[in-house]
Amino acid sequence: MNPRRTELVEQRVDTEAEAARLREQLLRVLAQLPVDDVHGAELLVAASRELRDLLDAGGGTVRIVVEDLPEGTSLPVLGTEPGRVGDDAVLGPLLAVIAEQRKALSWHQTELQQTNAGLLALHAELEQQRRRLTFLDEISRMLVTSLAEDEVLQRLVQHLVRAGFAETATAWVPVEEALSCTATTEDEIPRMPCPEVVAAARAHRAQTGSGLLVLPFLVGTQCLGVLELGREQPDYDEDERELGNHVAGRAAIALRNAREYERERDLAETLQRAMLPALPRSPAIRVCARYRPATRGINVGGDWYDAFIRPDGRLVLTVGDVTGHGIDAALMMGQLQKALRAYAIEGHGPGTTLRLVHQLMRTQETDLLATAVLAELDPGSGALRWAGAGHLPMALRAPDGTAELLTERQAPLLGLPLATLEVPEHSTVIEPGGGLLLYTDGLVERRHYDIDTGLRRLVDAFAADPDIQGEPLVRAMLADLLTDSRHEDDMCLLLCERVAPENPDAE
């Protein structure tokens, strides 16, 4: 016998009334035992199910036994007092726990819904910010693709319409005392700005209207122009106005850069053209030259040519190119041009002249380098001495029109950190009716083919009909080599021809 096992009830159950009384006794036992609400309810449900099965089987004997009570726990007392112990004695606490759990679950569900709503809102905001940043990045990348003011503004208004930010877009810039339309997506160029455009330019603040957003191009306190955006509906909201201000700010910086570049380019080109020399005249020789600034990009300021007759009667020809571009390159170009002329007039040969110019550059605080080629021609005999420093080879044409490149060894670039510079000299002869061509890389270098291809095209253009000489030859070569009239570097060309005795006045 198990000392921790106690039989409380043993009863025959044959009717539903007997089963109900036994169930009542079980409820009294459960109420007095240290059983948690969940397990008590489970036991009551299991006992009820067993009693129904017992009645369905015709009845039987049921015992209520308590096992393994904790130490110090009293045995349940069934008693004989009247009154029923309802199911709520066991199920009531359980229902209270369930109700509390349902309340807590409802609170957690509400919190979860609010959290999900917050996450969805945050995701939507982050997606909106991502789209805005992508849009601004596209604007920024588009604005740096050109340094021409009109082209920058035209690309801007087209992009804003294409991206759906506006149905129409127009850019206005100040011209003297008025505003002029520089770029628009309208079918017809507007002649007069609307009042909001004028107000934005004067107040330096954005203006709005029905389906209208007008934004000034501001750099500091300076208004460089006005951007006018329009659409049918809806009106621009606060977020769109803020985004428009960011677009106008980026466009203003691009506009300022384009204008500063144009000013520097114009100044560099003016300096460069002012330094180009007058060409010498002689019965025995014909000299033609061209200078063309770059038609796009920032590559202007470094190329030069020079041609003069020394006191001893020899003709000196030189072409060079300073690395870098802009005003600094133009100023350095002027110094080198004058130095080369001065050293040559003193009677130094081509190699010595280039070496002296190299030494001069090494005394200056500059990172700029230069290429150059210098030739010295005796007009009477056609004897030619020449030397080069990192420059493209000259081209020599025979009287029959055939041409070749003079590819003899040259010195490195002028201005390199070399204590001494060895400049080899070479010699050849220009026959009467023949010619010598000096040029810079802007004549032969292109993005869509390599330098060797450019040099072959140069030789083919130079090897023309021997009857085509002088200015007609120069025009024909430029037409062949600058076919699209757009080149990204400035260009010099210097042509020297010995006049054939039977045709001294040929053009």
Side-chain angles (χ1 to χ4, degrees):
M1 181 177 179
N2 186 352
R4 299 182 61 80
R5 174 186 176 92
T6 303
E7 185 176 305
L8 299 180
V9 175
E10 181 179 357
Q11 179 179 332
R12 177 74 186 185
V13 175
D14 293 309
T15 66
E16 290 185 1
E18 292 172 341
R21 285 194 296 270
L22 183 62
R23 189 170 181 277
E24 181 77 14
Q25 290 177 325
L26 178 59
L27 286 172
R28 292 179 181 275
V29 170
L30 291 175
Q32 299 176 59
L33 290 177
V35 180
D36 63 78
D37 300 327
V38 174
H39 286 92
E42 291 175 347
L43 179 59
L44 180 61
V45 170
S48 299
R49 184 170 55 252
E50 291 295 331
L51 287 174
R52 284 195 300 272
D53 293 343
L54 185 64
L55 290 176
D56 291 342
T61 300
V62 178
R63 296 181 180 85
I64 299 177
V65 178
V66 177
E67 294 181 345
D68 299 326
L69 280 176
E71 294 292 337
T73 302
S74 301
L75 287 172
V77 178
L78 296 179
T80 58
E81 66 275 10
R84 289 175 55 85
V85 178
D87 290 352
D88 58 347
V90 173
L91 299 180
L94 178 61
L95 292 175
V97 170
I98 293 174
E100 186 67 25
Q101 290 180 343
R102 283 181 175 177
K103 182 179 179 180
L105 179 61
S106 176
W107 181 85
H108 285 298
Q109 288 176 335
T110 301
E111 286 293 310
L112 181 60
Q113 291 174 353
Q114 293 176 350
T115 301
N116 288 339
L119 289 174
L120 290 175
L122 177 61
H123 177 75
E125 182 178 354
L126 290 175
E127 179 62 20
Q128 183 181 15
Q129 291 294 333
R130 186 195 65 78
R131 289 196 298 267
R132 290 181 57 173
L133 291 175
T134 300
F135 176 67
L136 291 174
D137 181 62
E138 292 173 351
I139 291 289
S140 298
R141 286 188 284 108
M142 179 270 301
L143 290 172
V144 300
T145 57
S146 175
L147 283 171
E149 178 179 330
D150 294 352
E151 192 172 332
V152 167
L153 293 177
Q154 189 61 43
R155 290 182 181 180
L156 173 64
V157 297
Q158 290 175 348
H159 186 84
L160 291 174
V161 171
R162 188 166 55 250
F165 194 68
E167 294 175 4
T168 61
T170 302
W172 301 84
V173 296
V175 178
E176 295 180 352
E177 299 298 325
L179 288 171
S180 174
C181 174
T182 303
T184 185
T185 59
E186 299 274 11
D187 294 334
E188 295 184 3
I189 298 177
R191 293 180 175 273
M192 297 294 292
C194 65
E196 289 84 358
V197 171
V198 177
R202 290 177 177 175
H204 293 189
R205 289 197 303 271
Q207 305 292 320
T208 58
S210 178
L212 183 67
L213 178 60
V214 181
L215 304 156
F217 295 131
L218 296 178
V219 176
T221 60
Q222 185 180 11
C223 180
L224 303 182
V226 177
L227 176 64
E228 178 186 359
L229 305 176
R231 64 188 184 191
E232 288 296 328
Q233 60 180 351
D235 292 341
Y236 287 92
D237 58 28
E238 183 177 352
D239 287 340
E240 290 175 315
R241 292 194 296 271
E242 181 182 357
L243 181 59
N245 281 323
H246 285 297
V247 171
R250 283 164 168 75
I253 294 175
L255 198 57
R256 179 198 62 187
N257 292 342
R259 292 181 180 179
E260 289 181 352
Y261 158 72
E262 287 296 335
R263 283 193 292 269
E264 180 172 337
R265 174 188 171 88
D266 291 345
L267 178 57
E269 185 176 341
T270 300
L271 286 172
Q272 196 166 30
R273 288 192 179 278
M275 296 176 185
L276 296 179
L279 298 177
R281 294 179 177 272
S282 172
I285 58 173
R286 181 189 305 111
V287 180
C288 305
R290 287 289 189 280
Y291 168 73
R292 294 277 182 88
T295 58
R296 56 185 174 184
I298 60 174
N299 301 335
V300 64
D303 291 19
W304 87 89
Y305 67 83
D306 198 2
F308 58 91
I309 297 178
R310 287 196 321 204
D312 61 4
R314 294 181 181 276
L315 174 67
V316 177
L317 305 165
T318 180
V319 161
D321 185 3
V322 175
T323 61
H325 304 93
I327 295 177
D328 290 342
L331 293 174
M332 176 59 70
M333 176 270 295
Q335 296 178 35
L336 296 185
Q337 181 190 27
K338 300 304 180 187
L340 278 168
R341 177 179 279 243
Y343 290 135
I345 287 178
E346 287 182 351
H348 298 294
T352 302
T353 297
L354 291 178
R355 179 173 54 81
L356 292 172
V357 170
H358 167 76
Q359 293 175 353
L360 175 65
M361 291 185 68
R362 294 298 300 146
T363 64
Q364 298 182 343
E365 295 182 359
T366 178
D367 294 330
L368 297 177
L369 304 175
T371 69
V373 62
L374 188 146
E376 177 186 294
L377 174 67
D378 182 349
S381 65
L384 181 75
R385 283 200 305 161
W386 64 276
H391 202 79
L392 292 172
M394 298 184 298
L396 180 67
R397 192 173 79 157
D400 62 359
T402 59
E404 62 176 339
L405 296 174
L406 301 180
T407 57
E408 285 80 358
R409 186 171 64 92
Q410 296 188 21
L413 276 68
L414 303 175
L416 286 173
L418 302 173
T420 59
L421 186 70
E422 180 187 352
V423 185
E425 281 192 6
H426 309 283
S427 61
T428 187
V429 174
I430 302 178
E431 299 292 342
L436 182 71
L437 180 67
L438 298 79
Y439 56 94
T440 57
D441 54 3
L443 187 63
V444 294
E445 287 187 347
R446 297 292 180 273
R447 286 178 178 266
H448 53 281
Y449 54 74
D450 58 28
I451 187 65
D452 291 335
T453 301
L455 291 174
R456 284 195 298 270
R457 295 183 69 231
L458 172 78
V459 171
D460 292 341
F462 192 34
D465 185 334
D467 293 332
I468 302 177
Q469 299 178 352
E471 287 293 337
L473 176 59
V474 170
R475 289 193 294 268
M477 290 186 63
L478 293 180
D480 286 343
L481 298 176
L482 304 180
T483 52
D484 59 358
S485 74
R486 295 178 66 82
H487 44 98
E488 298 182 354
D489 198 359
D490 50 351
M491 178 278 301
C492 283
L493 177 151
L494 182 61
L495 173 65
C496 173
E497 296 175 317
R498 286 191 70 198
V499 177
E502 64 277 8
N503 190 21
D505 298 322
E507 291 296 326

